[in-house]
């Protein structure tokens, strides 16, 4: 068979072979010529009967291939040879979808001039306008709207054109869509509104536009606040803007939204703490966010992360240092479990009113720590575990001396049960502990404890209350154990 060479591609002389031969991807010689931008080759093939509307294995046409490769003259050539400008391709997209997605303004204009439908829908219900808005291509959005594209159309997941535009956060595109009647209060099937999306992505200018046009009823119906989205995305500037606009920092996720999270989180603050976002955490607490509203406490999350700054911030704004965890329940407040190896953290918890005395509360006392009805086995779930049982386990008993010694700075005389005593006797701190236990505590220390009891744990959890007491600053610092504030001493 004779071959005819045109440009850099060798083509069969037979036009039948030229039209039918394909690569393993289903591409004909025409596809290859279009991909390479070889106008002469393409013209030759079209002159000899190659179809401009053939599809490859991916259901792409030569026209879409030319657009994707940014070959403007090639698109003009294909259109001259009557390429179907409205041909349905993969997922029912057209060439106009591709040009709009890529932001190729000249191509969009050319396709529209050649008779392209300005508002076709893909299988998922997306229009070229939606794709252009999603990518923030202002000129293309303007042209589609001038051509009569439906600004109210929604995709299969109910996402509006405005919701798609919120992905890019282009404030000019969002303003333009609103001018043409787009509604900011229509949610996606997940309940998210455009304001949620821009807040999550940190589009501050777009957020400023959407705040006045988003109704509180729509937000409430969605089951989540834009504050949740801003906190989840870690965008403190958006968070501050929403708070200044009057959004409630204590708005809780609706139960149907909460089910999406294994930890059953509710509050905006929880999102900020989980992200270790100290700036957003401070903003929320200063705005009045309550730190104890989630099933898993924000303080527990911060302790698990080991973030001193976050822990200190939460404690200063009233986080309950005496919370009890739902899992691994203990007789003593759960926060201690995360601090046994860390004196800085221990002191931080104790200074803010941790109930140290409950750690020495043991019902067995000097008796053996074995229940009377013990038969050699126990329940799989141990309820109300005592501190003495925890601190005496093999992998923790080496910490018992230092932990108990620190605890004694925050209590009056306490009784050590036989199990704790046996554990402590093996530690180097035992002589010092004995000395403290055998002697009367000084009056100054006892007065401090009495004043702290009178103040109550709520005031100790939020030391701002101390500013109202008619006491000298030095005395206030003593009451708050400032001499043991290792975190601030190391800052």
């Amino acid at each position: 068979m004779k071959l005819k060479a045109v440009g850099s591609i060798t083509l069969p002389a037979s036009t039948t072979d030229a039209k039918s031969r394909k690569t393993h991807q289903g591409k004909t010689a025409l596809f290859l010529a279009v991909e390479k931008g070889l106008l002469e080759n393409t013209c030759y093939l079209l002159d000899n009967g190659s179809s401009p509307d053939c599809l490859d294995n991916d259901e792409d046409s030569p026209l879409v291939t030319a657009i994707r490769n940014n070959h403007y003259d090639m698109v003009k050539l294909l259109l001259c040879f009557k390429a179907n400008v409205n041909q349905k391709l993969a997922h029912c997209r057209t060439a106009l979808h591709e040009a709009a997605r890529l932001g190729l303004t000249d191509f969009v204009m050319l396709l529209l001039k050649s008779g392209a439908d300005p508002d076709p829908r893909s299988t998922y219900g997306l229009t070229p306008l939606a794709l252009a808005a999603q990518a923030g291509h202002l000129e293309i959005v303007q042209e589609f709207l001038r051509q009569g594209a439906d600004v109210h159309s929604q995709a299969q997941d109910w996402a509006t054109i405005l919701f798609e535009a919120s992905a890019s956060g282009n404030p000019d595109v969002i303003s333009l869509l609103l001018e043409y009647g787009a509604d900011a209060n229509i949610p996606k099937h997940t309940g998210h509104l455009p304001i949620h999306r821009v807040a999550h992505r940190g589009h501050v200018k777009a957020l400023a536009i959407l705040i006045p046009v988003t109704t509180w009823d729509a937000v409430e119906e969605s089951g989540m606040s834009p504050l949740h989205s801003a906190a989840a995305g870690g965008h403190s500037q958006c968070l501050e803007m929403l708070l200044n606009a009057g959004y409630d920092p204590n708005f809780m996720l609706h139960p149907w939204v909460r089910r999406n999270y294994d930890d059953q989180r509710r509050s905006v603050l929880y999102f900020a703490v989980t992200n270790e976002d100290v700036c957003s955490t401070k903003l929320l607490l200063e705005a009045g966010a309550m730190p104890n509203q989630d099933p898993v406490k924000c303080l527990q999350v911060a302790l698990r992360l080991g973030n001193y700054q976050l822990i200190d911030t939460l404690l200063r704004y009233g986080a309950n240092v005496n919370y009890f965890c739902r899992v691994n329940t203990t007789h003593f407040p759960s926060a201690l479990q995360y601090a046994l190896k860390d004196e800085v953290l221990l002191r931080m918890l104790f200074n803010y009113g941790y109930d140290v005395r409950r750690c020495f509360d043991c019902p067995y006392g000097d008796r053996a720590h074995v229940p009377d009805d013990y038969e050699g086995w126990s329940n799989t779930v141990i309820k109300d575990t005592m501190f003495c049982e925890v601190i005496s386990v093999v992998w923790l008993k080496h910490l018992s001396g230092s932990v108990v010694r620190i605890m004694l700075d925050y209590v009056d005389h306490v009784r050590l049960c036989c199990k704790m005593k046996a554990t402590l006797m093996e530690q180097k701190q035992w002589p010092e502990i004995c000395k403290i236990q055998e002697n009367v505590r000084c009056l100054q220390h006892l007065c401090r404890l009495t004043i702290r009891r009178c103040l109550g744990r709520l005031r100790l959890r939020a030391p701002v209350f101390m500013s109202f007491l008619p006491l000298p600053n030095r005395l206030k610092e003593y009451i708050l154990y400032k001499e043991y504030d290792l975190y601030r001493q190391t800052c």
Side-chain angles (χ1 to χ4, degrees):
M1 179 178 68
K2 291 183 179 181
L3 298 176
K4 180 173 181 179
V6 181
S8 62
I9 295 182
T10 303
L11 302 171
S14 165
T15 56
T16 302
D17 288 344
K19 289 187 287 183
S20 60
R21 181 170 293 181
K22 294 185 178 182
T23 67
H24 68 283
Q25 294 177 326
K27 297 183 184 292
T28 63
L30 180 62
F31 267 99
L32 298 176
V34 170
E35 282 180 352
K36 296 289 185 180
L38 302 173
L39 289 168
E40 290 184 13
N41 298 46
T42 302
C43 188
Y44 173 82
L45 289 166
L46 291 168
D47 276 336
N48 284 278
S50 288
S51 171
D53 299 326
C54 60
L55 301 178
D56 65 5
N57 290 348
D58 295 325
E59 295 186 67
D60 284 334
S61 68
L63 188 58
V64 166
T65 301
I67 292 169
R68 198 169 288 148
N69 287 279
N70 203 14
H71 295 321
Y72 183 78
D73 291 335
M74 187 67 74
V75 172
K76 288 178 69 176
L77 177 63
L78 289 166
L79 292 173
C80 285
F81 276 87
K82 305 302 181 186
N84 183 359
V85 74
N86 290 310
Q87 185 178 15
K88 297 288 185 180
L89 306 172
H91 307 299
C92 290
R93 289 195 179 191
T94 66
L96 195 60
H97 280 97
E98 191 67 15
R101 180 183 72 84
L102 296 172
L104 301 173
T105 306
D106 292 342
F107 289 71
V108 169
M109 300 299 185
L110 179 60
L111 292 169
L112 290 171
K113 188 177 179 181
S114 301
D117 178 3
D119 208 28
R121 296 175 187 275
S122 70
T123 303
Y124 305 112
L126 290 171
T127 63
L129 174 59
L131 295 176
Q134 188 181 75
H137 301 311
L138 178 61
E139 289 184 32
I140 297 175
V141 170
Q142 286 174 324
E143 184 58 29
F144 283 137
L145 292 172
R146 280 196 292 265
Q147 294 284 339
D150 185 8
V151 75
H152 301 292
S153 70
Q154 293 178 254
Q156 278 193 345
D157 59 1
W158 305 353
T160 62
I161 303 295
L162 188 61
F163 186 86
E164 299 296 350
S166 63
S168 70
N170 186 326
D172 296 325
V173 170
I174 288 173
S175 294
L176 182 64
L177 292 170
L178 290 170
E179 286 176 20
Y180 273 80
D183 189 348
N185 298 296
I186 299 176
K188 192 182 175 183
H189 74 288
T190 56
H192 291 89
L193 298 165
I195 196 172
H196 291 109
R197 202 174 197 187
V198 298
H200 185 263
R201 298 197 177 199
H203 300 310
V204 179
K205 292 181 179 179
L207 183 61
I209 296 168
L210 288 172
I211 285 175
V213 296
T214 303
T215 66
W216 178 247
D217 286 344
V219 170
E220 208 165 21
E221 186 72 21
S222 73
M224 67 199 92
S225 169
L227 287 170
H228 287 103
S229 302
H235 300 294
S236 57
Q237 198 172 353
C238 290
L239 203 62
E240 187 172 15
M241 183 180 288
L242 288 162
L243 289 170
N244 291 337
Y247 278 89
D248 181 6
N250 291 306
F251 184 89
M252 301 295 161
L253 290 177
H254 191 278
W256 73 265
V257 180
R258 204 182 309 155
R259 285 197 297 269
N260 296 322
Y261 300 96
D262 292 337
D263 51 23
Q264 290 288 291
R265 60 183 65 184
R266 299 175 183 173
S267 70
V268 178
L269 185 63
Y270 193 97
F271 284 85
V273 172
T274 304
N275 288 344
E276 293 193 73
D277 187 346
V278 177
C279 182
S280 294
T281 299
K282 285 182 178 177
L283 276 173
L284 289 164
L285 290 168
E286 287 169 0
M290 295 182 289
N292 304 307
Q293 302 305 301
D294 298 273
V296 178
K297 304 305 177 190
C298 290
L299 180 59
Q300 182 178 342
V301 175
L303 286 165
R304 196 165 56 222
L305 294 169
N307 188 318
Y308 288 165
Q309 192 176 3
L310 203 55
I311 294 165
D312 182 66
T313 302
L314 288 166
L315 289 172
R316 283 192 293 111
Y317 282 90
N320 183 11
V321 73
N322 290 307
Y323 73 85
F324 283 88
C325 183
R326 293 185 175 187
V327 183
N328 298 327
T329 55
T330 55
H331 185 71
F332 54 97
S334 304
L336 189 64
Q337 297 175 80
Y338 298 97
L340 291 172
K341 299 180 181 180
D342 189 337
E343 183 178 354
V344 175
L345 204 49
L346 271 175
R347 296 280 187 187
M348 201 182 295
L349 295 175
F350 296 164
N351 290 354
Y352 279 94
Y354 183 88
D355 189 359
V356 179
R357 184 165 284 277
R358 281 188 71 90
C359 295
F360 298 98
D361 184 10
C362 176
Y364 298 107
D366 294 329
R367 294 183 291 113
H369 284 51
V370 179
D372 295 335
D373 58 349
Y374 182 69
E375 298 179 359
W377 58 275
S378 60
N379 293 329
T380 54
V381 179
I382 300 174
K383 296 182 179 179
D384 207 25
T385 306
M386 304 297 154
F387 177 71
C388 57
E389 295 171 339
V390 172
I391 204 66
S392 60
V393 296
V394 174
W395 57 90
L396 289 178
K397 64 189 306 182
H398 67 285
L399 301 172
S400 61
S402 59
V403 172
V404 171
R405 172 59 193 88
I406 293 168
M407 285 179 167
L408 293 178
D409 290 332
Y410 298 87
V411 292
D412 188 359
H413 181 79
V414 290
R415 189 178 70 166
L416 303 178
C417 71
C418 64
K419 188 164 191 174
M420 185 182 292
K421 190 180 294 185
T423 302
L424 292 174
M425 288 175 69
E426 301 174 12
Q427 311 306 315
K428 64 180 182 180
Q429 294 86 359
W430 176 242
E432 188 179 0
I433 292 171
C434 286
K435 184 178 179 181
I436 294 171
Q437 286 288 93
E438 291 169 359
N439 291 283
V440 177
R441 309 302 291 270
C442 72
L443 181 60
Q444 182 175 304
H445 174 69
L446 295 176
C447 288
R448 172 160 59 182
L449 295 178
T450 301
I451 292 171
R452 285 172 69 89
R453 273 195 299 274
C454 291
L455 286 173
R457 294 193 187 116
L458 178 61
R459 291 183 176 87
L460 291 175
R461 275 163 39 196
V464 68
F465 287 106
M466 294 296 291
S467 62
F468 298 106
L469 288 179
L471 299 173
N473 288 334
R474 187 176 176 184
L475 180 54
K476 291 179 183 179
E477 290 179 359
Y478 181 71
I479 293 169
L480 293 174
Y481 279 99
K482 290 297 183 181
E483 77 272 27
Y484 292 137
D485 191 351
L486 302 184
Y487 169 66
R488 298 216 178 280
Q489 292 171 17
T490 56
C491 285

